[in-house]
Amino acid sequence: MGTFIVSLILLVIIAFIIRYMIKSKTSGKHPSCGGNCGSCGHACSALEHSISFLESQKK
């Protein structure tokens, strides 16, 4: 019985987390991405990768 209650509580918590993530993503306020690629730490490497990919496609 105790395992069932703990499992149910965890399931409810996970459902709320998923609901929050979906709502914040659809409203454009996703916590992992601000939508500004210029301020992203990976923007430079992504840009370099894109440029090298495009250059290889031209050949």
Side-chain angles (χ1 to χ4, degrees):
M1 183 69 175
T3 304
F4 176 74
I5 293 172
V6 171
S7 298
L8 185 63
I9 291 171
L10 286 175
L11 185 63
V12 169
I13 291 171
I14 291 170
F16 277 118
I17 290 171
I18 292 172
R19 181 176 162 237
Y20 167 76
M21 291 176 69
I22 291 171
K23 287 180 84 173
S24 63
K25 177 103 174 159
T26 57
S27 68
K29 298 179 182 177
H30 198 266
S32 67
C33 179
N36 183 4
C37 294
S39 67
C40 181
H42 302 289
C44 294
S45 63
L47 180 62
E48 291 172 3
H49 177 70
S50 297
I51 291 171
S52 64
F53 175 75
L54 291 173
E55 288 174 351
S56 69
Q57 293 296 317
K58 289 180 183 180
K59 294 178 182 179

